[in-house]
Amino acid sequence: MSRGYQIAYRCGVTPWEAAGDGGADQLAGLLTEEEARPQPWGCALDVGCGSGSHTIELGRRGWTAVGVDDVQRAIDRARARDGAEHARFVCADVTALADVELPGPVELFVDIGCFHGLGDEARAAYGTAMTAVASPTASFLLLAFAPGRRPLLPRGADERDLARALPAWELTGSCLADVSGMPRPLRSTTPRFYRLRRRP
């Protein structure tokens, strides 16, 4: 999917960002991790951050927010956003996070549509990379479309896919995502938020 995203950003066709601030509002409503943690909350990593709206929301809320994406145009757009001073953006491969300078172990991972577009080998590398930089108390909030064959769209993922790629993580819950702000073609993908935590 990486090449497809590069082409999409070059052409200015980014329908997954059409939900705008509504997506950030939904994310904020799901961040129950904040209720159980004393401040400062530590490092939050937005995986496949795109143009950075969720990363900036995390930074505004008090996390030390870092957004990672391998599409330079997306990172450039993120750095130019209002509120970008609340976060740091890095152009890097999400399966090779050892190359990314992070401000400490990651306490919160947010993935709004990155994992579900990866191939099997990349998913395994993704899981290894996330676990290597995670704190022992880390949590993970991940959005994925339901699995299915859809032209030009990510392949999707479900609980079994997460278990295979993230064996060091425990699924603690899931819920359907609010699709009201999504473009019509994406509403039928039945997107779901999954919540995971690092196994002891």
Side-chain angles (χ1 to χ4, degrees):
M1 291 295 297
S2 180
R3 182 168 294 179
Y5 284 125
Q6 290 176 16
I7 293 170
Y9 274 103
R10 188 177 300 124
C11 297
V13 180
T14 54
W16 56 88
E17 296 183 343
D21 292 336
D25 290 343
Q26 186 175 9
L27 173 68
L30 291 167
L31 287 177
T32 57
E33 286 79 6
E34 297 172 354
E35 299 169 5
R37 293 176 182 267
Q39 285 188 302
W41 291 320
C43 178
L45 185 63
D46 186 1
V47 185
C49 66
S51 65
S53 62
H54 298 108
T55 323
I56 290 170
E57 172 65 16
L58 289 165
R60 283 176 172 156
R61 296 175 70 85
W63 294 89
T64 303
V66 179
V68 175
D69 202 290
D70 69 349
V71 179
Q72 186 64 56
R73 283 178 182 266
I75 292 296
D76 292 343
R77 187 181 296 182
R79 289 170 176 164
R81 266 185 180 271
D82 288 343
E85 68 276 8
H86 296 289
R88 183 165 65 91
F89 296 98
V90 181
C91 187
D93 184 343
V94 298
T95 68
L97 292 176
D99 300 331
V100 177
E101 184 178 338
L102 295 170
V106 178
E107 291 289 346
L108 173 64
F109 295 88
V110 173
D111 177 338
I112 308 299
C114 177
F115 175 83
H116 72 178
L118 300 176
D120 290 342
E121 289 186 10
R123 287 181 175 186
Y126 170 110
T128 299
M130 301 302 151
T131 304
V133 299
S135 84
T137 57
S139 55
F140 210 137
L141 188 63
L142 184 149
L143 176 75
F145 296 165
R149 295 187 177 185
R150 310 174 188 94
L152 304 178
L153 290 178
R155 60 191 284 204
D158 60 17
E159 294 181 12
R160 291 170 296 181
D161 298 311
L162 294 175
R164 280 193 292 269
L166 296 159
W169 297 78
E170 175 185 9
L171 181 68
T172 61
S174 69
C175 65
L176 289 172
D178 179 4
V179 299
S180 59
M182 290 185 174
R184 188 176 299 275
L186 301 185
R187 294 180 192 175
S188 62
T189 60
T190 321
R192 179 174 287 272
F193 277 101
Y194 295 92
R195 192 182 302 278
L196 304 98
R197 66 182 174 193
R198 181 81 181 269
R199 292 185 187 278

